[in-house]
Amino acid sequence: MPPPLKMEPSLHDVVELTKALIAAESITPARGAVFDVLEAALVPLGFQVERFVEGEAPDGPVENLLATRGGIGPHLAFAGHLDVVPPGEGWTAGAFTPEIRGDLLYGRGAVDMKGAIAAFAAAAARVPEATTSLLITGDEEGPATYGTPRLMERMAERGVKPDLCLVGEPTSAQRLGDTIKIGRRGSVVISIDVPGRQGHVAYPHLADNPIPRFLRALAAVDAIALDAGNDWFQASNLEIIDVHTGNTASNVIPGKASARVSIRFNDLQQGPELIERVRAAVHGHAPEAIVEGRVFGDAFLTHPGALSTLVADAIEARLGIRPELSTSGGTSDARFLVKLCPVVEFGLLNATMHKLDEAVAVADLHALADVYAGVLERVSR
């Protein structure tokens, strides 16, 4: 086995690299300094690093990073994102000033998911013989328009095709290692606009109040029966998430009533078909309504097999527990990557992601690096 490649000590340590990534503010869509930090960590490890920026406001510009390194065994890709959600007000200390207090490292992105990226870089330093790549985007927390899909296009141009993919999203629920995600539900958001004609409430014959038929249409949407779930997925759910008319006066009949519907669906459903079902339900009561939907991702499932077993074995060897295989939670960029190869997700505890005072246990960072190294060792045998 060749000796490990050397890198700057501060970036070789998983905690120090996590701190450096947190300190590089990267509210979505991200680019620039945070990618400089990661590139500085990867190049000394023998990775060929390519960075590119695409897109314009409001969804961009977005930076993506593709890092590849040859070796032995199947090609394992690690996918993640360096962009973070806005920190909000009320942090105990600065959201982008990493600080260890007690056993925890605080900072926006510590859990979701700069800590996991740092852990994989540290693991790659310890297993230099593995064929591996990092697929890192600056647009996972946003619409993903210029993120992972563009990375996949660049990979196709370069002939980069992984055999397996591990996504470092924070999947652990109660303790590190208790959950692996082998699939995710899909997501679709649908807007409903029922037009009317504005007028004075004292002269209803001169107006057209859209609200009565709007309410009947929403009741029909709410009554749509989806499914009861299956062996790997919970039941799909449809939620009315917003209702408004924009009317602030007490003596005006509004000229329009609008709503938004969000559906999280399993692999028994398809996004475009759900949009059509909602449209049909609405038009049954308000034929003139405008119904438009956007599919943010279809459901996917990587059936239990070689990849999930490999990751579970590495978790059990280091942490002494056998993880649950789950499809719960929201969407992730795995919904795109599954088109390339089998994909599973495994990362840190998700209890504080997107919250004030987001924090990761220092011990968990070291343990996650150990697990990721175990995965790389198993792949390269």
Side-chain angles (χ1 to χ4, degrees):
M1 178 186 303
L5 296 168
K6 294 183 179 180
M7 58 190 291
E8 291 297 323
S10 61
L11 296 182
H12 181 250
D13 179 79
V14 61
V15 175
E16 293 304 314
L17 179 52
T18 301
K19 290 167 67 176
L21 292 172
I22 292 171
E25 182 175 331
S26 57
I27 296 171
T28 192
R31 59 191 182 278
V34 71
F35 286 90
D36 294 339
V37 173
L38 182 58
E39 181 178 13
L42 295 177
V43 168
L45 299 179
F47 283 92
Q48 298 294 315
V49 176
E50 180 180 2
R51 294 164 57 179
F52 60 98
V53 177
E54 291 194 20
E56 299 178 354
D59 294 347
V62 172
E63 185 160 7
N64 298 301
L65 179 148
L66 172 62
T68 57
R69 187 179 71 183
I72 61 175
H75 176 177
L76 174 73
F78 176 86
H81 63 91
L82 285 171
D83 62 317
V84 298
V85 296
E89 300 294 330
W91 285 68
T92 301
F96 299 105
T97 304
E99 181 180 2
I100 294 178
R101 301 196 298 272
D103 298 328
L104 302 177
L105 169 60
Y106 290 82
R108 175 58 87 222
V111 169
D112 190 15
M113 56 172 288
K114 293 179 176 181
I117 291 173
F120 192 83
R126 291 158 52 181
V127 192
E129 68 275 17
T131 303
T132 189
S133 60
L134 287 90
L135 321 176
I136 307 298
T137 182
D139 182 27
E140 194 273 348
E141 299 292 3
T145 304
Y146 302 109
T148 295
R150 295 299 178 92
L151 259 173
M152 292 168 63
E153 292 174 4
R154 187 62 61 100
M155 293 166 66
E157 294 170 1
R158 301 290 185 267
V160 177
K161 188 172 184 350
D163 301 299
L164 308 164
C165 184
L166 174 61
V167 180
E169 286 290 338
T171 61
S172 299
Q174 302 300 321
R175 57 170 292 191
L176 182 66
D178 62 8
T179 307
I180 293 174
K181 303 285 181 157
I182 61 169
R184 294 275 190 166
R185 293 194 297 169
S187 173
V188 62
V189 176
I190 303 167
S191 64
I192 301 168
D193 293 298
V194 178
R197 187 170 65 255
Q198 184 175 318
H200 197 293
V201 295
Y203 302 93
H205 59 288
L206 299 178
D208 176 20
N209 193 338
I211 292 178
R213 57 185 179 276
F214 173 72
L215 293 177
R216 291 192 294 271
L218 282 191
V221 170
D222 190 54
I224 292 174
L226 295 176
D227 56 70
N230 56 27
D231 288 345
W232 285 109
F233 286 95
Q234 67 189 86
S236 301
N237 64 295
L238 180 155
E239 305 296 334
I240 298 170
I241 59 172
D242 183 40
V243 175
H244 67 277
T245 65
N247 184 14
T248 59
S250 61
N251 59 352
V252 174
I253 293 170
K256 183 176 72 171
S258 302
R260 282 186 298 146
V261 173
S262 180
I263 306 176
R264 292 301 172 96
F265 59 95
N266 58 39
D267 58 355
L268 297 174
Q269 310 290 340
Q270 295 292 324
E273 296 174 1
L274 290 169
I275 295 171
E276 290 305 315
R277 289 184 68 181
V278 169
R279 181 176 287 119
V282 171
H283 284 169
H285 298 275
E288 75 283 15
I290 298 171
V291 180
E292 297 179 337
R294 179 178 176 183
V295 180
F296 287 88
D298 282 314
F300 75 91
L301 177 69
T302 298
H303 286 280
L307 178 55
S308 57
T309 298
L310 184 150
V311 176
D313 287 347
I315 291 170
E316 187 171 24
R318 173 60 177 81
L319 301 173
I321 59 173
R322 197 71 183 175
E324 174 190 357
L325 305 182
S326 172
T327 62
S328 63
T331 59
S332 76
D333 277 2
R335 68 189 189 272
F336 305 120
L337 296 162
V338 73
K339 298 173 185 176
L340 297 178
C341 61
V343 178
V344 301
E345 303 175 47
F346 172 62
L348 294 161
L349 282 168
N350 56 31
T352 63
M353 65 178 182
H354 293 201
K355 293 184 177 181
L356 296 179
D357 287 344
E358 179 179 349
V360 60
V362 172
D364 282 356
L365 285 175
H366 290 292
L368 184 62
D370 292 343
V371 172
Y372 285 164
V375 171
L376 288 172
E377 290 167 354
R378 284 165 171 78
V379 170
S380 58
R381 284 174 183 167

